[in-house]
Amino acid sequence: MRADAQRNYDRIVTAAADAIAHDGADASLEDIARRAGVGSATLHRHFPNRAALLEAVFHERIENVCGRARELTAGDDPYAALLAWLRELGAYVTTTRGLAASLLDGPHHSDACTVMLTSAGEELLLRAAAAGKVRADVSMTDLVTLVNAISLATEHSGPGETQRLLALALEGITPPGA
């Protein structure tokens, strides 16, 4: 990418992050372009649709959440590590306005972010399942969808409500008698 194109890209992502923090994932693309000091055509040249822009805004943050999954994999209790990561994911998604909606937005959802999260948590899930602490029919896709759905439902209630509902839901992933 040329230097001027990279600067425009960076300015658009920064302006989008600010707009999304204030207005949510449905922030006006025209307003984002204006905040970035570029024209609408420049924004659309870099980001052909809203999903691509959201993915760019959330990508680095999602990488940090994924890094946390890798850190937790080193722990001694695989079930506690999985639950800790899912709670952290829930808190993060709840406090990042628009992320849950973008991850759950049907056919236009953020595939790359969802794949990153699913891949990052997979080792945690496999270790917890191998320890007999998670039902065999539970997938990481199920868990990421569950966390995102709860986060979306509680986005305006705050992280406390997210954690309460997440704890309630996660009781259902353990096999009977575990």
Side-chain angles (χ1 to χ4, degrees):
M1 193 180 294
R2 291 184 342 245
D4 62 330
Q6 184 64 52
R7 278 191 304 275
N8 285 341
Y9 178 94
D10 294 342
R11 289 193 335 235
I12 293 167
V13 172
T14 299
D18 292 344
I20 291 166
H22 185 264
D23 300 323
D26 291 327
S28 163
L29 296 179
E30 290 73 26
D31 183 48
I32 292 169
R34 189 172 37 260
R35 288 180 188 208
V38 300
S40 182
T42 299
L43 183 142
H44 289 288
R45 196 169 29 256
H46 287 285
F47 304 101
N49 54 48
R50 180 179 300 277
L53 180 57
L54 290 173
E55 206 162 283
V57 169
F58 295 137
H59 187 83
E60 182 179 331
R61 296 170 184 164
I62 293 296
E63 282 181 342
N64 293 336
V65 172
C66 293
R68 183 67 178 131
R70 288 185 291 277
E71 290 171 11
L72 288 167
T73 301
D76 292 335
D77 184 342
Y79 184 64
L82 174 65
L83 293 183
W85 186 69
L86 292 171
R87 284 191 301 268
E88 289 178 27
L89 176 61
Y92 170 73
V93 173
T94 300
T95 58
T96 305
R97 251 184 108 188
L99 179 57
S102 74
L103 291 170
L104 292 173
D105 191 22
H108 305 295
H109 72 284
S110 181
D111 289 327
C113 289
T114 301
V115 168
M116 287 171 63
L117 289 170
T118 302
S119 296
E122 193 66 34
E123 182 64 23
L124 291 169
L125 175 60
L126 291 173
R127 290 180 69 231
K133 299 293 186 174
V134 175
R135 293 178 8 195
D137 63 334
V138 174
S139 73
M140 186 47 64
T141 299
D142 295 336
L143 295 177
V144 169
T145 300
L146 177 68
V147 170
N148 285 330
I150 290 171
S151 297
L152 181 61
T154 59
E155 190 172 55
H156 299 291
S157 302
E161 185 66 2
T162 301
Q163 296 303 315
R164 187 187 75 74
L165 290 176
L166 187 56
L168 180 66
L170 290 176
E171 288 179 21
I173 71 168
T174 56

